[in-house]
Amino acid sequence: MTALKDTLNIAAPDEFYAELVALHRGLTEEQSRLVNAKLILLLANQLGDLDVLRQAMRTAREGVD
Amino acid sequence: MDQFAYPKYRYRKPPELAGGAARTYPVAVVGAGPVGLTVAIDLARRGVPVTLLDAEDTVSEGSRAICWSKRTLEIWQRLGVAAPMMEKGITWNRGRVFHRAGPLYDFDLQPEGGQQFPAFINLQQYYVEAHLCAAAAATPGLDLRWRSRVTQVAPGADSVRVMVQTPDGTYPLDCAWLVAADGVRSTVRRALGLDFAGQVFEDRFLIADVRMKADFPTERWFWFDPPFHGGKSTLLHRQADDVWRIDFQLGWDADPEEERKPGRVIPRLRAMLGEKAAFELEWTSVYTFQCRRLERFRHGRVVFAGDSAHVVSPFGARGGNGGVQDADNLAWKLAAVLRGEAPEALVDSYDAERVKAADENLRNSTRSTDFITPKNAASQAFRDAVLSLARTHPFARALVNSGRLSLPAVEEPSPLHTPDLPGAFAPAMRPGSPAANAPLADGNHAVWLLDRLDGAGFAALCFVATDDDRARAAAALAAVPRAAAVTIAPNGVAGALRDAEGLAFRRYDARPGTVYLLRPDQHVAARWRRPDAPALAAALGRALGAR
Ligand SMILES: Cc1cc2nc3c(=O)[nH]c(=O)nc-3n(C[C@H](O)[C@H](O)[C@H](O)COP(=O)(O)OP(=O)(O)OC[C@H]3O[C@@H](n4cnc5c(N)ncnc54)[C@H](O)[C@@H]3O)c2cc1C
């Protein structure tokens, strides 16, 4: 089983983060939620591996209750 | 306990108002802040007489810059003024980031050994300026005129006239070049009617300098949403004389006048330091931060450097450090032009290189500020997500942004540099990079590579392993007598510095035969595996602005 990556795998993290935040500029909260949901679906499809996606979902949910 | 005593520098009646004949000076620098002082000392040491004008007669009041980077220390070392800074400053390499009640992670800005200088020292700006003023006073050819306020600027085609207001009246001063280092409210910039475009961040920060005996380690500590200052951020730095800098994020709605009153500040400090902590408030102020720059830094014979040209938010310590690098970049170019060794166009490369460097600083400090002050619910959510992952998931630490601390710019692309042959070298020390330092031995003496660059002109670093290599390098270097050769060998090659630990070879990705041509500001102009004389001569010509 492929393990979820825990160390940095994004080549330019600051650039990525700035663009991620910029993506939401000028949107309402509702619009932002929609954009984020679409983004997750696109990335999940790109990733493909359901094992990895499950690990990611579990990790994301950790500590949120 | 030591405490800084503000010097009062002596005003002298200028020769122009004492019956002296008017003359045109080669360079006048407006503003004796860290940037103006650095550029003036550098120019004078290069043999260019400098007139440095400052409106006041003392150093920066209160607390402003505290973090001075390794590159700044290297520049001051070249100018002979790093030693007192190192002695008084607080050395640090490490930082820690907290979220809510607990630590998130630690970082080390300089994990590799074999370093002459730390990643940073913390030293109050008034000390920095006082040391620079002492060096300026001891530098021949540097005429530092206090209580000399520039009020008007009349730029001409090949000179500039400024009006200088003094206690004895106002006089005109003509100079071939004017360096405007007169800070964020630059009179020169306004006189030229130049636009200073950018943005103001909608947040306020309380800066408190506190005198206390405390046992926090000498590290940069940053809290997101700590229990003692709920919902906002706090930054802690140690400075000289047992003074600690604490920055409290206040938010846009805070009242700047109210918030700086001791009645408001002391409870915040008590919440952080504990009810019993003994401290004395030394200085408080409330800031709003901005990011702006001039579109161009050269306007004919007027050249802008430091805060007059660009301002950034302080997260990352990029303001003063970036400005000192402007000074480093500009001084040798003006000196070469004034000596007739280079065309005036060399000064345009200052503009090209430092505008790019300013953009890098602006970009980095803007991103930090955006992380610290999220602008909308979506960015707040991403930030909360990053922080909640960072403790257990190392990848997320790379996304936490409490300040990307000042690193020297690789001056690229630049018209002055000769590109590498494809694939010849690893990218790290590519043309435009500041020269790496390394411990070496000269006979039995431990020396530092950068101290062996004489600073006066260009240098050629020759990496050799045998006497033959050395002879070959010397033959090629005969084409560029102006570049002082510094030869480095792994072991006993006569006349070469010994790289016993191999750090110089490694940091420069060097092999026997490798040559680096370094500019007078220690930035790489070109490098080869085995250069010949024509290649060296062409690269030197190019680095001096030949087309
Ligand atoms: C809270 C805070 C924290 C900071 N922390 C850091 C840090 O940790 N590290 C860092 O690198 N930077 C930091 N900075 C930024 C740093 O203070 C500035 O970038 C730096 O002072 C710029 O230097 P300068 O020489 O360009 O301008 P200034 O320091 O502003 O000096 C300008 C000089 O020009 C003189 N002058 C002005 N007008 C005239 C005139 N008309 N005629 C003659 N003289 C004139 C003034 O008297 C002054 O001496 C910080 C800034 C703030 C506000």
Side-chain angles (χ1 to χ4, degrees):
Chain A
M1 189 176 89
T2 316
L4 186 66
K5 289 192 182 82
D6 214 23
T7 52
L8 187 66
N9 188 44
I10 305 169
D14 282 354
E15 232 151 292
F16 157 69
Y17 194 83
E19 288 177 30
L20 180 64
V21 166
L23 183 65
H24 292 268
R25 201 153 293 151
L27 301 187
T28 64
E29 287 189 39
E30 211 169 313
Q31 289 171 321
S32 272
R33 260 200 304 278
L34 179 61
V35 168
N36 274 339
K38 283 159 74 178
L39 187 59
I40 291 167
L41 295 174
L42 287 163
L43 296 174
N45 184 54
Q46 178 73 27
L47 218 57
D49 187 333
L50 187 56
D51 275 338
V52 174
L53 289 168
R54 281 196 187 112
Q55 293 173 64
M57 289 191 278
R58 226 178 306 122
T59 306
R61 185 69 168 72
E62 255 163 42
V64 182
D65 31 40
Chain B
M1 247 189 244
D2 283 353
Q3 186 155 6
F4 184 76
Y6 280 89
K8 197 166 171 66
Y9 298 112
R10 214 172 101 213
Y11 159 78
R12 288 189 191 79
K13 195 176 207 178
E16 286 78 0
L17 291 174
R23 44 173 294 210
T24 300
Y25 295 91
V27 183
V29 177
V30 190
V35 177
L37 283 160
T38 301
V39 78
I41 294 170
D42 203 352
L43 280 163
R45 285 170 65 102
R46 294 183 186 285
V48 176
V50 189
T51 313
L52 174 53
L53 305 163
D54 196 275
E56 313 291 336
D57 60 0
T58 187
V59 294
S60 175
E61 204 214 331
S63 195
R64 294 169 70 198
I66 56 174
C67 306
W68 305 96
S69 71
K70 173 177 161 180
R71 181 63 197 151
T72 294
L73 292 167
E74 289 169 355
I75 293 165
W76 287 337
Q77 171 79 353
R78 181 170 63 71
L79 301 177
V81 49
M85 310 276 195
M86 285 296 291
E87 193 174 313
K88 189 75 195 172
I90 303 289
T91 291
W92 65 276
N93 290 301
R94 301 182 58 87
R96 183 171 291 188
V97 177
F98 298 80
H99 183 214
R100 309 229 166 95
L104 267 191
Y105 65 95
D106 292 354
F107 60 87
D108 188 341
L109 295 172
Q110 186 157 270
E112 193 180 282
Q115 307 286 351
Q116 184 175 17
F117 295 109
F120 281 91
I121 63 166
N122 284 352
L123 186 60
Q124 294 90 315
Q125 186 160 338
Y126 44 72
Y127 273 117
V128 163
E129 291 185 14
H131 290 314
L132 288 167
C133 285
T139 304
L142 202 172
D143 179 10
L144 176 40
R145 301 186 182 180
W146 298 106
R147 299 183 73 182
S148 299
R149 178 182 297 278
V150 168
T151 54
Q152 288 171 53
V153 184
D158 49 17
S159 70
V160 184
R161 166 165 291 194
V162 292
M163 297 305 292
V164 187
Q165 190 185 69
T166 74
D168 290 306
T170 299
Y171 67 96
L173 184 145
D174 294 317
C175 53
W177 291 89
L178 186 76
V179 178
D182 51 347
V184 66
R185 282 186 280 272
S186 174
T187 308
V188 179
R189 193 183 63 225
R190 286 178 188 184
L192 266 51
L194 300 172
D195 198 24
F196 201 41
Q199 58 165 326
V200 175
F201 294 104
E202 295 196 346
D203 202 346
R204 296 184 204 281
F205 287 82
L206 167 67
I207 311 284
D209 277 357
V210 170
R211 190 180 277 275
M212 63 177 177
K213 290 276 187 208
D215 51 11
F216 297 108
T218 51
E219 299 180 347
R220 176 190 200 262
W221 279 15
F222 193 101
W223 287 263
F224 289 102
D225 193 9
F228 55 80
H229 189 53
K232 304 264 184 339
S233 306
T234 303
L235 175 62
L236 173 73
H237 270 291
R238 182 180 184 172
Q239 312 174 61
D241 298 342
D242 292 309
V243 175
W244 297 75
R245 161 71 56 85
I246 300 161
D247 293 34
F248 289 109
Q249 182 183 25
L250 294 177
W252 189 228
D253 298 332
D255 178 336
E257 280 315 308
E258 280 304 308
E259 289 294 347
R260 58 173 305 198
K261 291 183 178 159
R264 300 280 297 181
V265 178
I266 287 171
R268 292 194 190 283
L269 290 165
R270 289 242 167 271
M272 175 183 184
L273 303 167
E275 283 309 316
K276 290 199 205 62
F279 60 81
E280 231 176 275
L281 259 190
E282 189 166 279
W283 172 268
T284 56
S285 44
V286 173
Y287 285 93
T288 296
F289 298 128
Q290 33 176 349
C291 275
R292 299 177 185 280
R293 78 159 163 83
L294 280 172
E295 193 186 339
R296 287 179 294 120
F297 296 171
R298 179 184 174 195
H299 292 262
R301 291 299 187 89
V302 181
V303 188
F304 292 84
D307 276 12
S308 71
H310 45 74
V311 282
V312 297
S313 88
F315 298 101
R318 288 170 178 267
N321 290 302
V324 170
Q325 288 166 51
D326 290 346
D328 184 43
N329 190 296
L330 180 59
W332 71 272
K333 293 175 181 175
L334 278 184
V337 170
L338 281 160
R339 280 201 299 261
E341 294 166 1
E344 220 179 288
L346 183 61
V347 183
D348 290 331
S349 74
Y350 165 81
D351 189 85
E353 293 176 353
R354 296 313 298 170
V355 165
K356 268 218 60 208
D359 279 345
E360 188 173 315
N361 288 329
L362 286 161
R363 196 162 48 240
N364 275 291
S365 65
T366 302
R367 286 176 182 167
S368 304
T369 311
D370 283 347
F371 194 90
I372 293 164
T373 310
K375 284 207 184 73
N376 53 38
S379 49
Q380 180 76 47
F382 281 123
R383 191 185 94 163
D384 292 346
V386 164
L387 290 172
S388 76
L389 285 169
R391 194 190 315 267
T392 41
H393 299 277
F395 89 90
R397 293 173 198 164
L399 298 172
V400 175
N401 193 337
S402 74
R404 296 283 180 249
L405 287 145
S406 174
L407 287 172
V410 175
E411 311 285 16
E412 66 182 354
S414 166
L416 306 187
H417 303 150
T418 304
D420 286 345
L421 286 178
F425 286 94
M429 285 290 296
R430 63 192 181 278
S433 310
N437 208 352
L440 298 170
D442 183 356
N444 294 325
H445 297 287
V447 298
W448 290 99
L449 190 157
L450 291 185
D451 286 343
R452 285 312 176 101
L453 308 173
D454 71 359
F458 283 81
L461 279 186
C462 306
F463 293 87
V464 305
T466 61
D467 290 333
D468 267 5
D469 295 337
R470 189 161 177 247
R472 207 171 300 119
L477 285 176
V480 286
R482 319 193 4 182
V486 174
T487 309
I488 300 172
N491 51 39
V493 172
L497 299 167
R498 193 156 37 86
D499 185 21
E501 297 170 56
L503 284 175
F505 268 74
R506 200 174 81 220
R507 287 175 186 167
Y508 282 84
D509 183 24
R511 294 182 211 141
T514 297
V515 174
Y516 275 73
L517 180 67
L518 302 179
R519 317 189 321 186
D521 60 4
Q522 303 177 341
H523 282 256
V524 176
R527 57 181 179 169
W528 304 266
R529 285 300 176 195
R530 203 175 276 286
D532 54 17
L536 273 161
L540 183 69
R542 190 168 175 156
L544 277 167
R547 261 163 295 195

